[in-house]
Amino acid sequence: MEVQDNDAPLYGVLSRAQLSFEYLHTNSTTHEFLFGALAELLDNARDASATKINIYTVPDETVRGGYLLCFLDDGDGMDPGEAADIITFGKSTKRVADSQLIGQYGNGLKSGSMRIGSDFILFTKKGATMTCLMVSRTFHEEEKIEEVIVPLPSFDCQTKKPLAKTAQALEKYKLEMDLILKYSPFHTLEDFVRTFDQIKSGSGTLVIIYNLKLMDNGQPELDIVTDEEDILLAQPHTIDFDMEDGLMPERKSFRAYTAILYADPRMRIYVQNKKVRTKKLVNCLFKPRMYKYASSRFKTRSELEVKKAKHDASIADEKAKEAESRARALEQKHGNNPTNKEARSILRKAQSHAQEMRREAQLKKELGERKQRALKEPKTLNFIFGLNLENRSQDGMFVYNCSRLIKMYQRVGPQMEGNRVCGGVMGIVDVPYLVLEPTHNKQDFADGKEYRHLKKAMGEYMSQYWHDIDLDEPQKLWETYGYQDAKWNDPPSDELKYMKKRMMQVSTCVQCDECLKWRVLPFSSKAVGREVADYWVCGNNPDTQHNRCSSAEEKPKLIEGVLKIRAKTSEDKKQELAEEIRKKQEKLEKLERIELVKSAAQLRSAEMARSASQKDINYKETPVRTTSPTKSRVSSSYSQHSYSQHGHRSPRDSGGRRRRVASSEEEDEEEDEELAEVTAMKDALYEEAEEESTVARETVLQKRKEAKTEEHAHVPVKRKRTSPERQPVLQNLQDSEEDSSAMSPASFQSASPRQQISSTEEIDGAEVGTRIECKINSKWYGGAVVKVNKQADKWKVKFDKYKKDKYDKW
């Protein structure tokens, strides 16, 4: 990043924190939705009090993509010092707790523009100065420069001469202009200076993005050919659909997206030099109602503000103490009323400074206390619901943050159940910054848990709205307003009688191009089917009470509803019970993802079997499942104990084994805590099992040592499969290509209830000659242990009639 000149003399020898130009690309990847990146530049214009912004393209075959993408506004503009703040990533003067400005992170211009193209150049005017700033990845790549270097020349508005006067400043200006003329679309000084003339007003900003990013087919991501008056996504299908039935128009048309971008539009927007008819959605609803929702759940952002306020108060208090300490030191040195004029002046300044610092500390302390008290107060939001007569399939919630669209067509409550309850209902809510904080790309909210709580509340209030409007036969209502087809997604009829009915219920709302106030036009049959003129002022309003810009803006007439807690019916209780069972089942399924072992011997056996390519051998009653040598869990018997401690039943399939199902994400904090408790209990039981396994192993080794001293070999008799107690332990050997098996005695021991192998019932003492039977591909084969590896706790089995027994393996 560029180093300011005034820093060099004093700190020129010190190291700088550097920002690699690769960060410009990495920073841009936060924008998955391309229109969201474009909207970042509209947000900057709105925060700069712009009344008009034009997004247009200029053909230029010398740059990648074939055109320049321009954003021209008439906002406050920037002086050279403010323009220099742009290159400071994360610096923002808008970051105030109760601010209604959209930008908060000081990152939108860089991330948004770099998502669209590799380079951008900015021209801005404010007061008597004009400033240009260029950020170019192309320049850094060709020059192989790792640091971010930003040319930033400034000029006088009247003479259009550089502000640089000294020899060093003029040398810097010359180098900056050489880079701009080489790596920007303007290759002569005349063309460059003439670009400032596009800012017609006394102040404003022009951002030009060039060298656009291309798709795999070599075309730009933005399509400006299909519709000359719009900017379209070239491949809208590459992003998620808002609805199961298709892509909403705001997801493929930038004109449609900007029309609903702000809940309370106060800026005229032009796309390709043609005005966008922005919408104030609250005025576009049929049967609108407002519900006040209060909750103390939204605390994350407020707690951060309280913490910051306390920190600021603590720092201010320390500064006040230091100032008071210096003042007392001067009093002790010179007395309270020194005769020396200079000493008296120094003392009075120190005392005055100490008093000022103490007042500031007290104010910050009181501010922190107020925020602490406000933390306990519930946050209030206004939910507005209504029916969308223009297109009933475009329903759901529109969630704004400080008037900026964050989520659109967010289905909640009954709309998520797939039926037509609440079908066609559109909802609007504007969430303040202190309630929920948006993510950096302004496409979601930072606190997912609190947003899920908000979605749940919106669903409950939407259900209340549907109950309040009391639509006994919704289909008849839709048919009344032109929805004749049975298909839900089909648009309404464009017959004049139906258009007239819809217009009588939802009045036309237009924004004045002069005062930017919204006016509701009275119904007129002559206006049915006609578009409002691009340039419209209050004087064109037939309503004589609101045909002047000085007239107050009409507020929407909304019926205020109340959420009523109704007595639960038996059907409601059944649904709640089913939902509770579903959540518990999801929690159990997540627990089933934990792979289990019973003992250390099983763990070692599984590892050695895996290394010998014996992965296809399964034990019907003793599945050996592991995640890693260092992270294991207790067996299903211990898991059953863990479930019983919490009152749950462990799900099992027809074979008695645990089902292994893909886990789902936990949605509630309480479930996470309960899962942690179960996991901790399993860990404790695992440690207990390890201790028991160690004792059992020592017992096995002792028995083997005693068996060696016997005078004759132990020859067991063949068992009969007449009862479950006499069934063999080895089962489900699935791979017919494997000709023998290496089995751990410890694994046999854990195979309760089928434990009988020999007539002596001594499982761990078996030697060469022990007769066993194994189930291979649903058939039983008899065999004998021909060799024992006592160090590895394995047996080698020789089958009597298995067709490939000559390839015996461990």
Side-chain angles (χ1 to χ4, degrees):
M1 186 167 292
E2 187 181 58
V3 179
Q4 298 295 321
D5 290 342
N6 55 1
D7 291 343
L10 184 59
Y11 303 113
V13 297
L14 300 182
S15 300
R16 261 69 167 173
Q18 297 181 356
L19 181 67
S20 171
F21 85 96
E22 285 297 333
Y23 177 74
L24 297 175
H25 167 70
T26 305
N27 187 44
S28 69
T29 58
T30 59
H31 291 284
E32 298 178 3
F33 181 38
L34 192 56
F35 286 168
L38 298 176
E40 292 280 7
L41 284 83
L42 275 71
D43 295 341
N44 288 340
R46 185 179 183 275
D47 287 345
S49 304
T51 62
K52 176 183 177 181
I53 183 171
N54 188 11
I55 304 98
Y56 61 95
T57 57
V58 177
D60 190 340
E61 295 299 329
T62 65
V63 297
R64 187 172 65 245
Y67 62 86
L68 310 176
L69 183 60
C70 307
F71 299 76
L72 175 62
D73 70 63
D74 61 352
D76 296 334
M78 291 174 281
D79 58 32
E82 292 170 333
D85 289 340
I86 292 177
I87 61 177
T88 305
F89 285 76
K91 183 175 182 179
S92 175
T93 58
K94 311 173 189 177
R95 195 174 298 163
V96 183
D98 55 352
S99 173
Q100 293 301 310
L101 300 179
I102 300 172
Q104 296 286 335
Y105 304 108
N107 194 43
L109 174 62
K110 281 85 70 176
S111 65
S113 57
M114 288 293 150
R115 170 63 183 87
I116 307 164
S118 295
D119 313 310
F120 77 86
I121 186 169
L122 178 146
F123 298 85
T124 184
K125 290 170 59 177
K126 185 175 184 180
T129 61
M130 306 185 305
T131 306
C132 174
L133 179 145
M134 183 182 76
V135 177
S136 172
R137 292 187 63 209
T138 304
F139 155 59
H140 289 85
E141 290 170 354
E142 292 191 6
E143 301 284 344
K144 294 181 171 53
I145 299 175
E146 294 297 328
E147 298 178 86
V148 178
I149 296 178
V150 181
L152 190 66
S154 299
F155 306 85
D156 183 270
C157 280
Q158 297 296 327
T159 63
K160 296 186 178 180
K161 298 294 183 182
L163 296 181
K165 301 301 180 183
T166 65
Q168 183 179 2
L170 287 171
E171 182 181 357
K172 177 185 175 184
Y173 163 77
K174 183 178 182 304
L175 179 58
E176 289 174 331
M177 289 307 304
D178 288 342
L179 291 176
I180 290 175
L181 298 180
K182 182 177 180 180
Y183 292 102
S184 78
F186 312 102
H187 300 299
T188 65
L189 185 60
E190 292 75 15
D191 291 341
F192 170 80
V193 175
R194 196 182 302 119
T195 308
F196 281 105
D197 296 336
Q198 296 187 35
I199 306 175
K200 303 296 184 182
S201 56
S203 62
T205 301
L206 170 63
V207 178
I208 301 175
I209 302 173
Y210 56 100
N211 287 330
L212 305 179
K213 296 183 179 180
L214 307 179
M215 300 181 296
D216 294 339
N217 60 7
Q219 297 298 317
E221 296 175 283
L222 298 175
D223 176 13
I224 62 173
V225 178
T226 303
D227 188 346
E228 295 181 353
E229 295 182 348
D230 201 355
I231 299 175
L232 306 176
L233 281 182
Q235 291 184 349
H237 60 275
T238 58
I239 57 177
D240 295 334
F241 286 2
D242 293 291
M243 300 295 186
E244 299 175 358
D245 309 315
L247 197 65
M248 294 296 106
E250 292 80 7
R251 284 285 185 180
K252 52 190 175 183
S253 166
F254 190 58
R255 177 175 292 275
Y257 179 69
T258 54
I260 62 168
L261 184 59
Y262 301 108
D264 185 22
R266 298 295 170 181
M267 179 174 65
R268 293 167 293 160
I269 302 175
Y270 291 76
V271 174
Q272 297 290 32
N273 301 306
K274 182 175 176 59
K275 186 180 179 182
V276 175
R277 186 182 171 187
T278 51
K279 299 178 182 179
K280 196 172 184 180
L281 288 183
V282 67
N283 292 327
C284 301
L285 302 178
F286 175 51
K287 293 181 177 293
R289 286 175 181 258
M290 183 183 71
Y291 296 82
K292 288 188 177 296
Y293 165 66
S295 175
S296 302
R297 181 73 176 265
F298 307 105
K299 293 183 178 180
T300 301
R301 186 64 214 172
S302 299
E303 287 173 348
L304 292 175
E305 290 297 329
V306 170
K307 184 177 180 181
K308 181 177 181 300
K310 289 183 176 180
H311 178 69
D312 293 343
S314 176
I315 292 176
D317 184 65
E318 291 295 330
K319 289 181 179 179
K321 289 180 179 179
E322 291 179 6
E324 291 169 347
S325 178
R326 287 194 296 268
R328 284 194 297 270
L330 289 174
E331 289 177 3
Q332 293 177 359
K333 181 178 180 181
H334 301 291
N336 192 27
N337 190 17
T339 56
N340 186 287
K341 185 177 181 180
E342 182 178 357
R344 186 166 59 251
S345 175
I346 294 174
L347 177 60
R348 295 293 179 260
K349 286 182 180 181
Q351 291 174 337
S352 176
H353 178 66
Q355 293 174 358
E356 181 180 352
M357 295 299 291
R358 176 52 63 189
R359 283 195 299 269
E360 182 179 351
Q362 185 63 27
L363 289 175
K364 290 187 176 182
K365 180 181 178 182
E366 293 174 357
L367 177 62
E369 292 174 349
R370 285 199 302 270
K371 289 185 176 182
Q372 181 67 45
R373 289 193 298 269
L375 188 62
K376 301 178 182 179
E377 299 174 357
K379 307 293 189 301
T380 303
L381 300 175
N382 292 329
F383 294 152
I384 300 175
F385 298 101
L387 297 176
N388 184 8
L389 288 185
E390 290 301 319
N391 195 328
R392 64 181 180 182
S393 65
Q394 297 178 7
D395 53 10
M397 293 297 302
F398 285 72
V399 186
Y400 292 83
N401 181 266
C402 295
S403 189
R404 163 65 148 84
L405 181 64
I406 305 296
K407 293 280 190 179
M408 56 183 174
Y409 301 112
Q410 180 74 69
R411 284 184 169 176
V412 296
Q415 292 180 337
M416 301 177 65
E417 297 174 3
N419 51 37
R420 295 306 175 200
V421 177
C422 294
V425 177
M426 181 183 290
I428 306 163
V429 59
D430 191 6
V431 183
Y433 183 73
L434 269 178
V435 176
L436 278 179
E437 180 181 4
T439 55
H440 284 213
N441 61 10
K442 299 184 182 72
Q443 298 300 308
D444 206 342
F445 289 97
D447 195 313
K449 185 176 67 175
E450 291 188 352
Y451 179 62
R452 288 194 296 271
H453 178 74
L454 176 63
K455 284 174 60 179
K456 182 179 179 182
M458 291 188 296
E460 293 173 351
Y461 278 83
M462 181 179 287
S463 299
Q464 181 65 50
Y465 168 77
W466 186 258
H467 181 268
D468 290 344
I469 60 176
D470 193 20
L471 296 181
D472 294 333
E473 297 183 9
Q475 185 56 34
K476 285 187 177 181
L477 178 139
W478 296 119
E479 290 176 357
T480 303
Y481 295 103
Y483 290 90
Q484 302 299 316
D485 296 331
K487 293 183 179 179
W488 179 262
N489 293 330
D490 289 345
S493 173
D494 56 359
E495 292 184 33
L496 189 61
K497 64 176 183 178
Y498 292 119
M499 294 177 64
K500 184 177 179 179
K501 287 182 178 181
R502 293 195 295 269
M503 192 169 180
M504 290 177 65
Q505 298 298 333
V506 181
S507 301
T508 303
C509 191
V510 189
Q511 187 177 32
C512 175
D513 284 296
E514 295 293 335
C515 64
L516 300 179
K517 294 178 181 177
W518 287 87
R519 303 301 185 189
V520 179
L521 304 184
F523 172 76
S524 172
S525 58
K526 296 180 181 180
V528 177
R530 295 184 179 181
E531 291 290 335
V532 179
D534 283 348
Y535 183 80
W536 190 95
V537 294
C538 291
N540 304 126
N541 191 356
D543 182 5
T544 57
Q545 294 183 353
H546 301 91
N547 61 356
R548 295 181 300 275
C549 289
S550 58
S551 301
E553 181 176 301
E554 290 182 89
K555 294 184 178 181
K557 298 177 181 179
L558 301 173
I559 300 174
E560 187 168 342
V562 178
L563 180 65
K564 300 175 182 178
I565 302 177
R566 292 168 291 176
K568 295 181 180 179
T569 64
S570 59
E571 187 64 25
D572 293 336
K573 293 179 180 179
K574 288 180 181 179
Q575 291 181 357
E576 289 183 1
L577 180 60
E579 180 66 16
E580 185 68 19
I581 292 174
R582 183 187 65 81
K583 290 183 178 181
K584 296 296 184 183
Q585 183 67 27
E586 288 178 355
K587 181 167 62 177
L588 295 179
E589 288 172 355
K590 184 167 185 177
L591 291 173
E592 288 303 314
R593 297 282 292 179
I594 302 174
E595 299 181 350
L596 311 173
V597 296
K598 181 175 180 180
S599 65
Q602 278 185 282
L603 181 60
R604 290 192 297 271
S605 176
E607 293 168 358
M608 298 184 71
R610 185 163 53 247
S611 64
S613 302
Q614 298 280 343
K615 298 179 182 179
D616 56 332
I617 298 179
N618 297 321
Y619 299 91
K620 185 173 182 181
E621 289 298 324
T622 58
V624 180
R625 299 176 286 178
T626 62
T627 54
S628 68
T630 58
K631 187 68 176 177
S632 59
R633 292 291 184 268
V634 294
S635 68
S636 59
S637 61
Y638 288 97
S639 180
Q640 286 286 354
H641 175 71
S642 299
Y643 282 116
S644 65
Q645 294 297 319
H646 293 272
H648 304 311
R649 293 186 61 189
S650 175
R652 293 183 175 272
D653 60 15
S654 58
R657 294 171 296 176
R658 289 186 175 278
R659 295 194 300 266
R660 302 177 66 182
V661 189
S663 64
S664 61
E665 182 181 357
E666 297 296 330
E667 294 186 354
D668 296 317
E669 183 181 25
E670 293 80 6
E671 294 185 2
D672 293 336
E673 293 176 355
E674 189 169 353
L675 177 61
E677 292 177 3
V678 173
T679 304
M681 184 174 294
K682 285 190 174 186
D683 289 336
L685 292 173
Y686 167 70
E687 295 177 0
E688 181 181 346
E690 284 289 341
E691 295 177 359
E692 294 176 357
S693 176
T694 302
V695 175
R697 178 169 176 76
E698 293 176 355
T699 304
V700 169
L701 294 177
Q702 180 64 26
K703 286 184 178 181
R704 289 180 179 173
K705 186 174 181 181
E706 294 173 357
K708 285 185 178 181
T709 61
E710 294 182 1
E711 296 181 358
H712 58 277
H714 171 68
V715 182
V717 298
K718 184 175 179 180
R719 297 173 289 110
K720 296 181 180 181
R721 302 191 305 275
T722 57
S723 65
E725 290 77 10
R726 304 295 295 178
Q727 292 180 9
V729 65
L730 295 181
Q731 301 179 36
N732 295 341
L733 297 179
Q734 300 294 334
D735 191 356
S736 60
E737 297 299 322
E738 297 294 343
D739 306 314
S740 61
S741 304
M743 302 300 167
S744 169
S747 299
F748 286 103
Q749 185 182 11
S750 63
S752 177
R754 298 184 178 97
Q755 295 179 343
Q756 192 166 2
I757 295 178
S758 67
S759 59
T760 60
E761 302 292 331
E762 295 180 1
I763 301 170
D764 296 306
E767 296 293 344
V768 174
T770 301
R771 296 292 299 174
I772 66 170
E773 291 185 40
C774 301
K775 191 175 183 181
I776 305 175
N777 294 336
S778 302
K779 293 184 180 180
W780 290 91
Y781 295 91
V785 177
V786 296
K787 195 171 183 179
V788 175
N789 186 339
K790 297 179 180 179
Q791 184 176 0
D793 290 337
K794 285 189 175 183
W795 294 346
K796 184 175 181 180
V797 181
K798 179 74 172 182
F799 296 104
D800 298 334
K801 296 182 179 181
Y802 190 45
K803 57 184 178 180
K804 293 185 179 181
D805 60 357
K806 60 182 179 180
Y807 299 107
D808 290 343
K809 298 179 181 178
W810 283 92

